[in-house]
Amino acid sequence: MNISYKWLKEYVDFNLTPQEVCDALTSEGLEVDALEEVQSIKGGLKGLYVGKVLTCELHPNSDHLHVTTVDLGKEEPSQIVCGAPNVAAGQKVIVADLGCVLYDGDKEFVIKKSKLRGVESFGMICAEDEIGVGTSHDGIIVLPEDAKVGTPAAEYYNLESDWLIEIDITANRADALSHWGVARDLYAWLKRNGYETSLHRPNCDAFAVDNNDLPIDVDLVCHDACKRYACVSLTGCEVKESPEWLQEKLNVIGLRPINNIVDITNYIMMAYGQPLHCFDADMVKGHKIVVKTMPEGTPFVTLDGEEHKLSEKDLAICNAEDPMCIAGVFGGKGSGTYDSTVNVVLESAYFHPTWIRKSARRHGLSTDASFRFERGIDPNGTIYALKQAALMAKELAGAKVSMEIKDVYPEPIEDAKVSLKYDYVTGLIGKEIPVDMIKSIVESLEMKILAEDAEGLELQVPAYRVDVQRPCDVVEDILRVYGYNNVEIPTQLKSSLVIKGEDDIKHKLENLVGEQLVGCGFNEILNNSLTKAAYYDNLNHYHADNLVRIMNPLSSDLNVMRETLLFGGLESLEHNIKRKNPNLHFFEFGNIYHFNKEKHSDENPHAAYTEEYHLGLWLTGKRVSGSWIHPDEDTSFFELKAYVMNILRRIGLPFGAVVFKKSDNDIFSSAIAIENRGGKVLAELGIVCKKQLKAFGIETPVYYAELNWTALMKAIKKAKFSFKEISKFPPVSRDLALLVDNNVEFAEIEKIAYMTEKKILKKVELFDVYEGKNLPEGKKSYAVNFILQDEEKTLTEKHIEAVMSKLITNIKKQLGAELR
């Protein structure tokens, strides 16, 4: 929300500097994100002064230049060469001194010492358009005789900068989405801190009906979606450019002026928080407005020329025949206000926030009006805003009010009633606040005290405070005005000891693994759980039907819950690679979500949804780059595998309880899955397929692993850690060259080996794979190393041969392998 400092001062009296205003607003919950000076004239006329032309002579080498001496209030007059035809001795003029910066659109130039036809010039006598105070370039500015020499031009023209205050409004503070709303909060702060102040806004006493030439009837059909609807007609409007003061107000807060009628509605919205809409009255067929829903699929063209299909859940503002506007969201083409418009209907309404929010999301439209309606506006501010707009239209467009205000308000929205106990305030805040101060604060926030006793207050909260409905909400308001910093930090900490549980163990391991990865050169990333459904198009493993979809997404890029961590990490890789940071090691802990429609039932709708905690690892670029002791080296799948295996070892996963298999996950071009004995996937790691990388514009290989942290925590739940003495007896190494079919994986050999010999077989490693000459077609050769060790005795050759013979027999029998 953009707030003008000068505009704010129209509603509340204060002498605070812009920075002090920002500090005050931030202290009471309206956090200021930025403060920026806004100059009505670019450059603020810095370096420009009032001067007096002492002498003026023809230039010796030119027939149109003059050589002048100008008094700028300095010790010595300045010599300035001037080409204006109207320059003369004795004139008071505006002079750009040396170093002054002048602007021509986006271009700027600095006034420097120069030579013009051989004569030195130490400044510039200026015309209106050259300094931005006008558009004339017929000659230099000639000031009245009483202008004081040496006066800065900014002071002479009474030029004052405004300040733009950018406030981050939280979703619950709809009441602060206007200058008047912010003024109310600032007023409460000023009162609390002892400043002399008052809160005021223009009254509507001057409003009067001029004639009844254009009556408009209103039929409020859909009461649930529109709680209040009011309108008034204006005739004889002259649609033209807004006056400079109105354009300046809108420009300061970032709104583009359009014409006086539209600018009035924008001004009222930003001033008082009530969105208005203006219709060309000649387009209101039958001189009747009907507030209703339209049949499903009704075509509707908005002001921007885009066609939309209305839903039966979209509230429309219609004339006697056609829809003219998606209520509270966007106007329709042809029914707005144009240069040819003469008669206008102004609309001021209160729409149900949920209806507006759903319509805005459904059509992908977000406007200043919908932003306010969907958070909840003041239902009692509609008529005030309508009258103020009508008065401005009479002043700025010569309009006449041509009907009594039509106000349809079948079920008035009541103010909230809250019972507040002083003990409750003290208990929630942790400090006793004097009763008089509590009463002063709530009254400064426009809450009425209906009754009071020794125990507390009965309060009536104005309807525009949609966020204050309960005693705790009132306490929050009291505390933010009282000041969070005024609540002392206690010297004692009251706590109770608890037994370490599963969550504590999980968090401890998560931190340990995170530290381990950071120590290996990883950076931790954190991505949004909301993601783009299009990422899952044409995927088999992560099928689009299993996505958890958002009913009212903020955008098409955030319309589903992620089913894998992969795509968020690829977005992070893309962002960094485009910024010349190509060598990346990322990890992320986060939740993933899954929907199983087969488990969906009306009795237990939650059964279809699952949530798991995962760990993702991404590697791309160089593992070593620019080192004087090591040649450049690319990252690889084997580097990723080492990180994954070290994580599994660190958390204590027993490798005898897992199986390594080839993964069929189609996000990978090649991958390995690590499963438990029951077939549950604990981790997958591999090379991301080129199709996925191409979608993100990534040209280098990306190696990715995703570990199911939830499943891993279950797998190690019963794992026991034991310590034993290092064996005194030496290990024995034996190698086998096995000829196997091309479709046989090393994991199968490893599995058979461990199942064959569980006691003395300690390690099975693949150290070479050969495919090519001298091998039968469809065959490959694995060179496998086996480490045997007995903890209790030295292995004899006979025992070793018996074990190896048994291993060879089983491998041959189950895989059809041959010894080379």
Side-chain angles (χ1 to χ4, degrees):
M1 175 67 192
N2 290 336
I3 294 294
S4 160
Y5 172 79
K6 290 170 66 175
W7 194 345
L8 191 62
K9 296 190 76 169
E10 295 178 14
Y11 304 129
V12 60
D13 298 328
F14 61 85
N15 292 314
L16 304 178
T17 65
Q19 184 58 56
E20 288 172 336
V21 170
C22 293
D23 294 340
L25 294 176
T26 299
S27 72
E28 58 177 354
L30 300 181
E31 183 180 359
V32 175
D33 186 57
L35 175 65
E36 179 184 351
E37 184 178 6
V38 180
Q39 298 167 330
S40 55
I41 296 177
K42 194 171 184 179
L45 301 183
K46 292 180 181 178
L48 292 158
Y49 302 92
V50 174
K52 181 176 182 180
V53 181
L54 302 178
T55 64
C56 180
E57 299 177 356
L58 288 173
H59 193 290
N61 300 318
S62 172
D63 58 358
H64 70 281
L65 296 177
H66 294 83
V67 180
T68 68
T69 55
V70 183
D71 180 12
L72 293 176
K74 301 179 180 180
E75 294 181 1
E76 296 291 335
S78 300
Q79 177 174 287
I80 298 175
V81 177
C82 180
N86 64 328
V87 65
Q91 292 174 336
K92 296 288 182 67
V93 294
I94 295 293
V95 178
D97 202 2
L98 295 178
C100 174
V101 180
L102 297 181
Y103 299 88
D104 181 12
D106 293 332
K107 297 179 181 179
E108 61 179 49
F109 59 95
V110 181
I111 302 300
K112 300 177 182 178
K113 175 183 174 181
S114 60
K115 276 190 176 183
L116 298 175
R117 300 284 181 92
V119 177
E120 289 185 328
S121 181
F122 298 87
M124 175 180 169
I125 304 176
C126 301
E128 287 184 354
D129 65 332
E130 291 170 331
I131 64 173
V133 297
T135 58
S136 172
H137 194 68
D138 295 336
I140 60 170
I141 301 169
V142 179
L143 304 177
E145 183 60 34
D146 60 356
K148 186 178 178 182
V149 172
T151 302
E155 182 180 329
Y156 177 80
Y157 284 105
N158 295 316
L159 186 67
E160 292 184 9
S161 294
D162 198 355
W163 291 84
L164 178 66
I165 303 171
E166 185 179 334
I167 304 176
D168 288 336
I169 304 291
T170 53
N172 63 317
R173 291 302 308 276
D175 64 291
L177 289 171
S178 66
H179 285 75
W180 175 245
V182 173
R184 282 186 303 225
D185 256 28
L186 183 59
Y187 169 77
W189 185 91
L190 292 166
K191 290 281 288 183
R192 157 71 182 90
N193 289 278
Y195 289 89
E196 289 291 332
T197 184
S198 64
L199 188 66
H200 45 79
R201 63 177 180 177
N203 60 47
C204 301
D205 295 345
F207 178 84
V209 178
D210 298 305
N211 55 58
N212 287 291
D213 294 348
L214 188 57
I216 301 293
D217 191 22
V218 174
D219 184 7
L220 181 52
V221 177
C222 194
H223 299 125
D224 292 340
C226 181
K227 300 295 184 181
R228 186 175 193 178
Y229 192 91
C231 69
V232 68
S233 64
L234 306 172
T235 58
C237 299
E238 182 185 357
V239 179
K240 58 183 179 181
E241 189 177 85
S242 295
E244 185 177 339
W245 69 265
L246 180 53
Q247 292 191 48
E248 184 177 329
K249 279 182 179 291
L250 297 179
N251 280 322
V252 166
I253 60 174
L255 291 181
R256 179 176 62 88
I258 298 174
N259 60 52
N260 53 355
I261 300 298
V262 175
D263 292 349
I264 287 169
T265 62
N266 285 333
Y267 172 86
I268 294 297
M269 177 174 63
M270 292 302 176
Y272 309 117
Q274 172 67 53
L276 303 177
H277 192 70
C278 48
F279 299 102
D280 188 323
D282 297 331
M283 300 297 176
V284 182
K285 298 176 183 177
H287 287 182
K288 183 176 183 180
I289 290 176
V290 184
V291 184
K292 62 180 182 179
T293 58
M294 299 297 292
E296 186 74 33
T298 301
F300 179 74
V301 180
T302 47
L303 284 169
D304 56 3
E306 294 291 326
E307 181 174 307
H308 297 262
K309 299 294 184 182
L310 296 182
S311 164
E312 60 182 8
K313 292 296 184 180
D314 290 326
L315 184 66
I317 309 300
C318 310
N319 55 36
E321 300 176 10
D322 307 305
M324 300 185 295
C325 175
I326 303 176
V329 181
F330 220 111
K333 188 174 184 180
S335 64
T337 304
Y338 303 93
D339 292 343
S340 58
T341 298
V342 177
N343 303 319
V344 170
V345 177
L346 287 178
E347 164 197 281
S348 181
Y350 178 89
F351 300 115
H352 195 288
T354 303
W355 279 73
I356 303 305
R357 181 167 57 251
K358 289 184 176 181
S359 287
R361 300 296 179 270
R362 190 178 295 120
H363 296 286
L365 298 171
S366 181
T367 60
D368 287 327
S370 68
F371 188 81
R372 285 158 177 78
F373 279 127
E374 65 189 36
R375 284 160 175 77
I377 63 167
D378 182 5
N380 299 319
T382 55
I383 302 303
Y384 175 84
L386 199 58
K387 287 182 176 180
Q388 285 295 323
L391 289 171
M392 290 184 68
K394 293 178 72 170
E395 178 187 349
L396 304 183
K400 292 186 180 298
V401 178
S402 297
M403 64 175 283
E404 295 286 348
I405 289 178
K406 187 74 173 180
D407 182 18
V408 183
Y409 197 11
E411 298 177 7
I413 297 173
E414 299 292 337
D415 291 342
K417 303 291 194 303
V418 177
S419 179
L420 184 69
K421 302 299 182 185
Y422 298 133
D423 289 345
Y424 178 76
V425 176
T426 302
L428 202 56
I429 292 177
K431 178 180 180 179
E432 184 174 349
I433 298 177
V435 171
D436 289 343
M437 185 170 292
I438 292 176
K439 291 165 61 177
S440 173
I441 290 174
V442 297
E443 288 178 333
S444 69
L445 291 170
E446 299 187 346
M447 300 180 194
K448 294 180 181 179
I449 299 176
L450 301 177
E452 62 175 301
D453 55 29
E455 294 183 353
L457 305 170
E458 294 296 325
L459 299 173
Q460 180 176 325
V461 182
Y464 66 77
R465 288 306 304 273
V466 295
D467 61 318
V468 181
Q469 305 291 316
R470 304 163 298 171
C472 61
D473 300 328
V474 177
V475 174
E476 182 184 0
D477 257 17
I478 293 170
L479 181 55
R480 67 184 182 83
V481 176
Y482 177 75
Y484 292 97
N485 292 336
N486 293 323
V487 179
E488 297 81 4
I489 298 174
T491 56
Q492 288 182 322
L493 179 64
K494 298 179 180 179
S495 63
S496 58
L497 299 176
V498 295
I499 299 172
K500 184 183 291 185
E502 291 183 12
D503 286 340
D504 299 294
I505 297 171
K506 171 190 163 187
H507 292 145
K508 179 182 178 182
L509 288 174
E510 183 180 328
N511 289 332
L512 285 173
V513 169
E515 291 173 0
Q516 177 177 316
L517 290 170
V518 169
C520 293
F522 280 77
N523 287 299
E524 185 172 10
I525 60 175
L526 185 63
N527 289 297
N528 199 335
S529 295
L530 298 175
T531 188
K532 188 189 300 186
Y535 287 153
Y536 297 87
D537 290 345
N538 303 317
L539 286 181
N540 295 322
H541 190 83
Y542 299 110
H543 200 275
D545 291 341
N546 299 125
L547 292 171
V548 178
R549 299 185 179 274
I550 306 301
M551 294 180 66
N552 296 301
L554 294 172
S555 71
S556 59
D557 288 343
L558 300 170
N559 56 355
V560 298
M561 305 293 284
R562 62 187 177 189
E563 202 175 347
T564 171
L565 301 179
L566 172 67
F567 299 112
L570 291 181
E571 289 175 354
S572 300
L573 293 179
E574 176 193 21
H575 180 86
N576 281 270
I577 290 171
K578 285 182 176 179
R579 286 156 181 79
K580 308 299 182 183
N581 187 20
N583 305 322
L584 302 166
H585 286 54
F586 285 160
F587 77 94
E588 177 183 10
F589 284 98
N591 290 318
I592 61 98
Y593 308 85
H594 184 82
F595 172 70
N596 186 345
K597 60 183 178 182
E598 295 179 359
K599 294 183 179 180
H600 183 73
S601 66
D602 294 334
E603 294 78 16
N604 186 11
H606 299 293
Y609 299 91
T610 55
E611 176 183 350
E612 291 181 331
Y613 201 58
H614 281 206
L615 166 62
L617 306 178
W618 294 261
L619 276 67
T620 190
K622 301 284 186 184
R623 188 177 80 87
V624 180
S625 177
S627 173
W628 65 276
I629 58 171
H630 195 294
D632 286 2
E633 182 181 335
D634 292 334
T635 55
S636 67
F637 169 79
F638 300 103
E639 182 187 355
L640 175 67
K641 182 185 176 186
Y643 291 131
V644 172
M645 300 303 287
N646 285 338
I647 290 170
L648 299 181
R649 290 189 184 96
R650 186 67 183 85
I651 65 175
L653 181 71
F655 282 94
V658 299
V659 177
F660 291 82
K661 298 175 63 176
K662 184 176 181 180
S663 172
D664 60 355
N665 192 332
D666 52 343
I667 63 170
F668 298 107
S669 58
S670 180
I672 292 175
I674 303 175
E675 300 178 355
N676 63 16
R677 295 296 181 185
K680 175 71 174 179
V681 176
L682 303 178
E684 288 183 292
L685 56 153
I687 308 168
V688 179
C689 70
K690 291 184 178 180
K691 177 183 175 182
Q692 299 297 337
L693 299 182
K694 186 178 179 181
F696 291 86
I698 300 174
E699 298 179 355
T700 54
V702 174
Y703 306 97
Y704 174 65
E706 186 160 340
L707 288 72
N708 186 331
W709 198 255
T710 302
L712 286 170
M713 293 301 101
K714 290 181 180 179
I716 65 170
K717 188 175 181 180
K718 296 181 179 180
K720 294 182 179 180
F721 296 90
S722 60
F723 300 88
K724 60 183 179 181
E725 184 181 358
I726 296 175
S727 176
K728 300 176 183 178
F729 305 100
V732 175
S733 175
R734 290 289 185 270
D735 296 336
L736 293 179
L738 300 170
L739 188 66
V740 296
D741 294 337
N742 278 336
N743 61 350
V744 173
E745 298 177 3
F746 168 70
E748 297 176 69
I749 298 174
E750 186 179 33
K751 180 180 177 182
I752 293 169
Y754 282 123
M755 291 181 66
T756 301
E757 178 52 57
K758 298 179 180 179
K759 184 179 179 182
I760 68 170
L761 180 61
K762 302 301 181 183
K763 189 184 294 184
V764 181
E765 287 188 338
L766 177 68
F767 64 90
D768 187 40
V769 180
Y770 176 73
E771 295 178 274
K773 293 182 179 179
N774 303 322
L775 291 182
E777 187 175 350
K779 296 286 185 178
K780 61 183 175 184
S781 175
Y782 279 147
V784 185
N785 175 250
F786 299 85
I787 301 296
L788 308 175
Q789 187 178 33
D790 196 321
E791 306 291 338
E792 299 174 354
K793 60 184 178 181
T794 301
L795 291 172
T796 64
E797 193 64 31
K798 182 178 180 181
H799 191 181
I800 295 169
E801 289 301 324
V803 171
M804 292 304 299
S805 176
K806 190 176 178 182
L807 284 171
I808 293 169
T809 301
N810 286 342
I811 292 172
K812 284 183 176 182
K813 182 179 179 181
Q814 296 185 41
L815 298 178
E818 298 178 23
L819 289 179
R820 290 187 65 197

